[in-house]
Amino acid sequence: MVVDLRTVNELVAGSVGGAAQVLVGHPLDTVKTRAQIAAPGMFKGPMDVLKQTLKNEGFFGLYKGMASPLIGIAGVNSLLFAAYGTSKRIISPFPQLSLKEIAAAGAMAGAANAILASPVEMFKVRMQGQYGGKDDKRLRNVAQEMWQQWGFRKGIMRGYWVTVAREIPAYAGFYTAFEFSKRQFASRYGSDLPVWALLANVVKSRIQLRNTPPTGTPVQYIAREMKMIVAESGVAGLFKGLSPSLLRSIPAAASTFAAFELTREYLEKLTGV
């Protein structure tokens, strides 16, 4: 079996980019997740989440749950960037793809990415859902508990189909925006988080944090969770965490792609491909 060195380069560069993304974006990700999963009235808004976290848990409370994405992000981003590169080569043998082709490749990469992203984020969300109490669990305890109580599909992969529903349009839009920005006005384009991706993220976080796995088909339990959110907090509840998501997305995306591109360029010179 011959391994394409371009794919190897993308795997390695994706790992470096993923680590940069976690280190830069995790504090605001914690604020976003807590804003999404908190009971109504627990916080006044994202700024109150930030204030209470710093007050009760200190600065490093913002990095709660980072171990899961930091360990897993190497695999997640490696898979994402390699899948994107491979998808582009499948779609067209020419290096300059149209924006429609870029969107299709991004959607394919997003579908592949969900395989690893779902368990990584499930553990992250459950760690972030602890608020510094004496009964807080370590990552290994959370992983052991989910495996023993619910097994692989209902435990480790909980929230998978919502993650798929989020990743496909999110990365189709993300890569299209990224390529468009590179081609048109590299330093002036905006966020990497389409509205549907945020809405799906709220649903995903709540499903992953629940004590019991969802029942019924993915369509049924996604619709049921959305209905519950609206009943609790109105339509606005579907967009909890919007401001920290947008604030996080720009520096996180910038650091991810800067680290990815620099590493890939270095590896291209090293390997010649």
Side-chain angles (χ1 to χ4, degrees):
M1 179 180 177
V2 179
V3 179
D4 191 331
L5 276 178
R6 291 174 297 179
T7 301
V8 175
N9 289 350
E10 288 158 353
L11 286 168
V12 175
S15 298
V16 176
Q21 173 189 327
V22 173
L23 292 171
V24 172
H26 195 79
L28 282 172
D29 185 80
T30 298
V31 174
K32 176 209 70 176
T33 299
R34 288 184 169 184
Q36 290 174 340
I37 64 177
M42 185 173 183
F43 298 110
K44 297 176 183 177
M47 286 304 298
D48 190 42
V49 175
L50 176 61
K51 179 181 176 181
Q52 294 299 327
T53 299
L54 291 173
K55 177 182 176 181
N56 298 325
E57 301 168 66
F59 175 75
F60 289 103
L62 294 171
Y63 282 92
K64 181 166 285 186
M66 188 179 74
S68 174
L70 194 58
I71 294 169
I73 205 69
V76 170
N77 269 44
S78 290
L79 177 61
L80 175 63
F81 282 105
Y84 177 60
T86 302
S87 297
K88 288 197 297 182
R89 292 189 283 275
I90 290 172
I91 290 171
S92 173
F94 304 105
Q96 189 78 351
L97 277 66
S98 70
L99 291 181
K100 289 182 179 179
E101 290 172 328
I102 290 293
M108 292 166 66
N113 186 58
I115 296 170
L116 288 181
S118 182
V120 167
E121 293 198 13
M122 189 276 293
F123 291 129
K124 174 184 71 68
V125 166
R126 296 189 77 85
M127 292 296 292
Q128 290 172 326
Q130 302 180 129
Y131 297 93
K134 62 180 181 179
D135 296 327
D136 280 8
K137 301 171 184 175
R138 294 182 178 274
L139 176 60
R140 65 173 178 270
N141 301 126
V142 172
Q144 183 180 34
E145 181 181 272
M146 294 299 290
W147 174 261
Q148 290 179 344
Q149 289 189 8
W150 304 110
F152 181 73
R153 186 172 66 86
K154 292 184 178 181
I156 304 302
M157 295 299 290
R158 184 180 299 183
Y160 170 72
W161 287 110
V162 194
T163 306
V164 171
R166 181 193 67 176
E167 300 289 83
I168 290 176
Y171 281 107
F174 176 71
Y175 278 112
T176 302
F178 178 67
E179 291 294 335
F180 179 75
S181 68
K182 286 206 308 185
R183 296 175 189 184
Q184 301 296 323
F185 45 105
S187 65
R188 296 177 55 192
Y189 199 72
S191 171
D192 68 332
L193 196 66
V195 170
W196 165 247
L198 176 68
L199 189 153
N201 200 55
V202 175
V203 176
K204 174 194 70 64
S205 295
R206 286 172 56 108
I207 287 174
Q208 290 176 329
L209 190 65
R210 291 199 180 285
N211 292 328
T212 57
T215 57
T217 67
V219 172
Q220 289 174 331
Y221 67 69
I222 290 171
R224 185 165 61 244
E225 193 68 38
M226 291 176 67
K227 184 177 179 181
M228 289 174 62
I229 293 170
V230 172
E232 291 173 4
S233 308
V235 175
L238 294 170
F239 300 96
K240 283 183 178 179
L242 175 61
S243 54
S245 292
L246 293 177
L247 287 171
R248 169 188 174 274
S249 66
I250 297 174
S255 61
T256 301
F257 276 91
F260 173 77
E261 294 287 355
L262 289 171
T263 305
R264 187 179 64 174
E265 287 176 9
Y266 171 77
L267 292 173
E268 283 178 352
K269 292 178 181 177
L270 189 68
T271 61
V273 293

